[in-house]
């Protein structure tokens, strides 16, 4: 296991969100965490990325307790893209991506040609080279997310945690970002853990789904094993039909609802 949660307890103040959770992330896979709002998805991802200290249990990174590893060493191995990150006003794309090289800087090793090359490669890889001098706050939503992914790539890690990377994006840009993540995995073997709300996109772009409810893992495995009609009902309280996606062949969740057309529908 590349990343592992062992008997994890997480919360904020006196409120416990996750209790007694065990989870393993396999090397070289794309894993997506799904579940209803408030079930602990983002809380779990923050703990896996060492952004939240557990009140019980621990997280293992490559078999070592992540809380006992130097922060700089963790940052060289694991990259985290939080939900809806915000860049300082006026910061250019190139400057943002360059921040990904900070874990590699020391008092005796400042900016080098290797850092310059890593930034250039990250910008090229995400198609952001022509926008390198553009302020981040002037980009479209999809461009902005690609800029943040560029920063994570410049960090030089092979383990990437993404918290709702498609938030606030329209469908076309959601697909664009997830295609980028899929290509990253396919071409570099990067291990990716994501939190997504869209079940159908999660099924299409992940090798493995982790379904959560009320701070616990209800099911984990390939999308076709996790996204069943019974499981969707159990996890989301939603009546749905699950059919094969006509494009990808992955599970496609179709909500049933009341089954009625709206009065103004054609």
């Amino acid at each position: 296991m590349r990343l592992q949660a062992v008997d994890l307890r997480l919360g904020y103040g006196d409120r416990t969100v996750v209790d007694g959770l065990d989870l393993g992330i396999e090397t070289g896979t794309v894993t997506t965490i799904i579940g209803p709002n408030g079930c602990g998805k983002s809380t779990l991802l923050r703990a896996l990325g060492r952004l939240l200290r557990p009140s019980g249990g621990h997280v293992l990174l490559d078999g070592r307790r992540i809380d006992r590893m130097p922060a700089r060493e963790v940052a060289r191995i694991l990259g985290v893209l939080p939900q809806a990150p915000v860049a300082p006003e006026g910061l250019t794309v190139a400057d943002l991506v360059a921040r990904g090289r900070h874990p590699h800087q020391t008092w005796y090793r400042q900016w080098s040609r290797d850092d310059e090359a890593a930034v250039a490669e990250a910008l090229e890889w995400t198609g952001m080279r022509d926008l390198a001098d553009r302020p981040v706050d002037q980009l479209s939503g999809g461009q902005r997310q690609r800029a943040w992914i560029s920063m994570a790539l410049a960090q030089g890690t092979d383990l990437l945690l993404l918290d709702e990377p498609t938030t606030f994006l329209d469908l076309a840009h959601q697909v664009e970002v997830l295609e980028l993540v899929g290509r990253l995995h396919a071409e570099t073997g990067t291990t990716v853990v994501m939190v997504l709300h869209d079940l159908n996109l999660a099924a299409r772009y992940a090798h493995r789904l982790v379904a959560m409810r009320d701070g616990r893992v209800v099911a984990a495995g390939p999308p076709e094993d996790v996204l069943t009609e019974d499981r969707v009902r159990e996890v989301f309280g939603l009546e749905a039909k699950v059919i094969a996606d006509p494009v990808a062949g992955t599970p496609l969740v179709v909500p049933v609802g009341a089954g009625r057309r709206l009065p103004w529908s054609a």
Side-chain angles (χ1 to χ4, degrees), residues 27-210:
T27 302
T29 60
V30 178
T31 299
T32 297
I33 305 171
I34 60 173
N37 291 339
C39 72
K41 302 185 299 295
S42 293
T43 298
L44 172 60
L45 197 78
R46 292 186 65 205
L48 293 176
R50 199 182 167 178
L51 299 179
L52 178 65
R53 182 186 296 273
S55 55
H58 54 267
V59 173
L60 298 177
L61 173 59
D62 293 331
R64 301 165 60 192
R65 283 187 53 157
I66 197 172
D67 57 320
R68 296 178 178 174
M69 298 172 64
R72 190 178 294 274
E73 181 181 359
V74 173
R76 290 172 180 163
I77 300 172
L78 182 154
V80 182
L81 183 58
Q83 186 180 149
V86 178
E89 185 176 355
L91 188 74
T92 67
V93 171
D95 288 339
L96 173 68
V97 178
R99 292 187 174 200
R101 299 303 298 169
H102 285 182
H104 301 273
Q105 309 296 313
T106 64
W107 66 268
Y108 57 86
R109 182 197 179 281
Q110 299 301 312
W111 192 259
S112 69
R113 289 183 179 179
D114 288 344
D115 297 317
E116 198 73 40
V119 169
E121 183 178 358
L123 289 169
E124 182 71 29
W125 208 92
T126 56
M128 294 296 289
R129 183 181 62 178
D130 292 342
L131 298 173
D133 296 326
R134 183 85 60 86
V136 176
D137 52 16
Q138 293 182 15
L139 300 176
S140 69
Q143 291 170 337
R144 190 177 302 118
Q145 201 67 319
R146 280 193 284 139
W148 284 101
I149 292 175
S150 299
M151 186 191 74
L153 292 181
Q155 195 172 329
T157 70
D158 62 353
L159 174 56
L160 192 57
L161 310 186
L162 307 174
D163 190 1
E164 299 189 32
T166 58
T167 297
F168 306 130
L169 299 182
D170 60 37
L171 182 58
H173 285 113
Q174 290 180 43
V175 171
E176 174 188 321
V177 167
L178 293 175
E179 286 284 344
L180 177 61
V181 172
R183 185 163 65 90
L184 171 65
H185 165 76
E187 296 184 12
T188 69
T190 299
T191 302
V192 180
V193 185
M194 296 187 289
V195 169
L196 289 179
H197 277 291
D198 190 304
L199 301 183
N200 297 327
L201 291 178
R204 179 179 288 194
Y205 290 98
H207 301 113
R208 190 166 180 262
L209 298 182
V210 176

